[in-house]
Amino acid sequence: MTVPSLLTTADLDRLIRMLADGGYTCVGPALRDGAIVYDEIGGVADLPAGWTDVQDAGRYRLERRGDGALFGYNVGAHSWKKYLFPPAEQLWRIPRATDTIRPLTPPQHPVRHAFIGVRGCDLAAIGIQGRVFGHGEHGDGRYAARRDAAFVVAVNCTMAGGTCFCTSMGTGPAAGPGYDLALTELVDADRHGFVVDAGSERGAALLERLACPAAGDAEIADARARVDETAGRMGRTLATDGLREVLLRQLDSPHWDEVGERCLACANCTLVCPTCFCSSVEDVSDLDGSHAERWRRWDSCFNPGFSHIHGGEVRNSTGARYRQWLTHKLATWHDQFGTSGCVGCGRCVTWCPVGIDLTAEAARLREREDSA
Amino acid sequence: MDLRPKLAVFKFASCDGCQLSLLDCEDELLALAASIEIANFAEASSAVIEGPYDLALVEGSITTPHDADRILEVRRQSRVLVTIGACATAGGIQALRNFGSVEEYTRIVYAKPSYISTLATSTPIADHVKVDYELRGCPVNKHQLLEVISAFLNHRAPRVAAHSVCVECKARGITCVMVARGEPCLGPVTHAGCGALCPAYDRPCFGCYGPKELANPAALGEWARTALGADAATVRRQFQTFNAWAEPFRTEGRRDD
């Protein structure tokens, strides 16, 4: 284990440029359209310095901080999954052939991404999607290639947002394994620096090339204390104890249809969720029938057609679709993939247009069982 | 002998915008004309080849007794009948008359109302004849229109998603205008198809494509009034535009009437 380094803002800028020079497309938090999203960045000047976000159920606003913190906000409007599991991807195309059917797979040149500013919850989500797509005999080689190529610079959170509950899910505020480098930002009136840890050999090699001084014991302790304090400031909590069993006992609860009366079945929660992985596959043909293409697109258990089989839709009420989503996310995900499907990032709560709160609905189901 | 299927385009009460979407397919028009015989399309050519037709695209709503008869004949002449646009699929903006008194409107607008022969309502084509497929939008998206024709030519189902506009916003990486700015947006209850055109220009969705499957405008309206502080009249008006007569927008647009 290497000793953590102490970086200045200028050092962080050098780090981003070294990654770019090394052939990585650097993506990180950036201000766009009234929100912090993930987009291509060239250096620290592109980061949302001095901005923070205020998040609540169905509400997101940017605000000015009193300082120049580069990572003084929580997770953004989108998740990193758009880079590893793109919203639309061509799987193959096939020209009309006279004799044989030979689909052409598009050439694979996976972009090597460097993700700058991945929070603990999001790193856990990348791990979960990696297990989903790498699962069994039919792993998705494209996902694996993109994930393996990605360089991850994590950020340990030193503030918690209004819809954060990573401590409930055990995914933060300190980033867990899977990062190449992890930063903790120290920002005060008289200093601005980053304590940086390496989590992989390539991370350690990059840190060595940066040649920054080792962080002192005081700085390391300060960084740790800020992250520890953050754990006590979560905007939400989710009681996970026995939750799988509670939900599976509540499959016939009238509560699902009550949520269905508020829910828009618009699919926003599943699309912002960093672990939701459902897709549909569709074939496209052109007017003269000379070629066809097969595309994979993001889908959602809230979308019409998702559960369509011979005879119709299996889940044809919004309540049934919400139940499917919540019980898969928090209960049957354990059976399928060995963990919860929720990382506590709070995006489904913030970005629900009508503020339906997963933590509140789970708590209500538990109460209903207790009071029954 | 020409073996191409015969296409006809018919217009009822409408602005012509949807059929113009077909002419707007400039790059694809030659391929289209090679695959299908454009037999009856007054907007494109005065040369009319008589029916019957293999595929009829019907634009517009039924607003007069004459049109109520004419659509029956169009149906008789058409093997496959596809309605295109909000007028044909929902009654259009002119269905606002359904909420008022057409006699009163006629008195106010026309010097000699006695010349006007009109129905009390503007109704979608499917209220009058069997429709094989409905393509939504005000106007329809030309790529979706080509997709419907292409699917017809290739004997397959059209690839037209019925989910919300939100799915298009998220796929494009557009930040939600409702959550990030507090502006009531019809995206969560509206059928996709436009590619999230308005949110891409920082504007809430107008609902041009009408209600999506399992649309819940009551819950959206409730949130707009309570959490976003929109006044009730503004919320009602949002639902009373191009698809005002389509349920469940119709009910929500009449809330507290």
Side-chain angles (χ1 to χ4, degrees), chain A residues 61 261 266 268 285 321, chain B residues 156 164 170 179 212-213 216:
Chain A
R61 293 291 184 280
E261 286 174 19
C266 61
N268 273 302
S285 62
R321 293 182 194 176
Chain B
R156 61 171 174 82
S164 69
K170 291 293 182 284
V179 171
K212 75 172 185 79
E213 180 251 17
N216 189 353

Side-chain angles (χ1 to χ4, degrees), chain B residues 195-244:
Chain B
L197 189 58
C198 292
Y201 289 94
D202 226 10
R203 172 75 180 69
C205 169
F206 285 93
C208 303
Y209 282 62
K212 75 172 185 79
E213 180 251 17
L214 291 183
N216 189 353
L220 184 68
E222 171 74 10
W223 184 262
R225 286 187 300 271
T226 55
L228 306 183
D231 68 86
T234 304
V235 176
R236 268 205 311 276
R237 277 187 63 106
Q238 273 197 306
F239 289 105
Q240 291 201 328
T241 63
F242 323 104
N243 291 281

Side-chain angles (χ1 to χ4, degrees), chain A residues 32-35 37 57-61 77-78 87 260-268 271-272 282-289 297-298 302-304 313 316-318 321 350-355, chain B residues 28 31-32 35 146-147 149-151 153-154 156 159 162-164 166-176 178-183 187-189 202 212-220 223 228:
Chain A
R32 300 272 186 280
D33 306 323
V37 304
R59 190 174 190 277
Y60 178 100
R61 293 291 184 280
H78 314 138
E261 286 174 19
R262 284 176 278 137
C263 174
L264 307 178
C266 61
N268 273 302
L271 302 172
V272 295
E282 57 184 36
D283 293 343
V284 188
S285 62
D286 57 6
L287 274 173
D288 62 5
R297 291 177 197 280
W298 282 358
F302 287 94
N303 283 346
E313 201 85 18
N316 51 19
S317 75
T318 301
R321 293 182 194 176
T350 299
W351 297 98
C352 173
V354 291
Chain B
E28 298 86 0
L32 181 68
S35 314
L146 280 173
E147 165 60 19
I149 297 171
S150 178
L153 290 170
N154 290 293
R156 61 171 174 82
R159 194 177 45 82
H163 52 59
S164 69
C166 303
V167 176
E168 299 186 312
C169 263
K170 291 293 182 284
R172 289 185 64 175
I174 297 167
T175 294
C176 180
M178 189 152 154
V179 171
R181 289 221 309 274
E183 294 190 32
V189 295
D202 226 10
K212 75 172 185 79
E213 180 251 17
L214 291 183
N216 189 353
L220 184 68
W223 184 262
L228 306 183

